[in-house]
Amino acid sequence: MTTNTNTTRAHSTGTARLDFAQSAPKAFRALIAFDAAAREGLDPALVELIQIRASHLNHCAYCLHMHTNDARKASESEDRLHMVAVWREARHFFTEREQAALALTEAMTLVADAGVPDDVYAQAASLFDERELAQVLALICTINTWNRVALSTAKVAGTDER
């Protein structure tokens, strides 16, 4: 098998991994468009909390680094950033809507474990209108996709090219 050096990069183990944006530009642009559409109308702080929590659960250092930095740039507090991973034990750091979104993020990210429990969905549905809830669902889908792309292509934390 030959490797095109223009579309691959070395993983820390020396294994070449492709550059997704370069190798599948239509899919990459479609994912960017989906991500932008999902964020539309949502509170930027909520967007980053969702993306941070999914990235924790997926062990995606690349996205976690990116989204914690984005949250800081958007004036998110260090206290809240440190508490996202343990939000259930630190509920007072988060609004009721943020807690519902974090619970839904966990359920959807770990969907193979137990599906999305009715009580988790109902709590989110009671706090977000239908359009907002659909946006939150879409955002959770996009960050999970980004995490999987970053993990599959061995993106390195701290090398965000945006």
Side-chain angles (χ1 to χ4, degrees):
M1 178 174 127
T2 60
T3 302
N4 180 341
T5 57
N6 291 329
T7 60
T8 59
R9 60 189 178 71
H11 179 264
S12 60
T13 62
T15 306
R17 299 279 176 106
L18 66 83
D19 179 324
F20 182 76
Q22 201 172 43
S23 299
K26 283 185 179 180
F28 184 74
R29 286 192 305 272
L31 187 50
I32 287 173
F34 183 31
D35 186 89
R39 295 165 181 259
E40 203 169 284
L42 291 178
D43 174 20
L46 180 67
V47 167
E48 296 307 333
L49 293 175
I50 289 168
Q51 293 178 323
I52 289 166
R53 187 62 188 131
S55 297
H56 282 146
L57 294 169
N58 287 320
H59 304 273
C60 185
Y62 178 82
C63 292
L64 183 58
H65 183 268
M66 179 191 311
H67 293 296
T68 54
N69 281 339
D70 288 350
R72 283 184 189 95
K73 289 175 190 168
S75 301
E76 185 59 78
S77 76
E78 289 297 318
D79 281 344
R80 282 172 39 102
L81 290 177
H82 292 296
M83 293 297 121
V84 174
V86 293
W87 68 270
R88 280 185 171 76
E89 291 77 30
R91 290 179 184 266
H92 62 285
F93 282 93
F94 304 99
T95 68
E96 193 174 9
R97 283 168 53 97
E98 290 168 341
Q99 291 174 45
L102 290 168
L104 188 58
T105 299
E106 290 177 356
M108 288 180 63
T109 300
L110 304 172
V111 70
D113 292 348
V116 176
D118 289 340
D119 63 325
V120 170
Y121 184 87
Q123 180 65 13
S126 75
L127 296 167
F128 293 96
D129 66 33
E130 284 188 4
R131 185 202 59 77
E132 291 172 320
L133 182 58
Q135 296 298 118
V136 168
L137 293 170
L139 182 67
I140 296 166
C141 290
T142 63
I143 188 55
N144 275 282
T145 301
W146 284 123
N147 288 166
R148 283 154 177 76
V149 168
L151 289 164
S152 298
T153 61
K155 298 290 279 182
V156 177
T159 63
D160 178 20
E161 298 101 17
R162 295 177 302 153

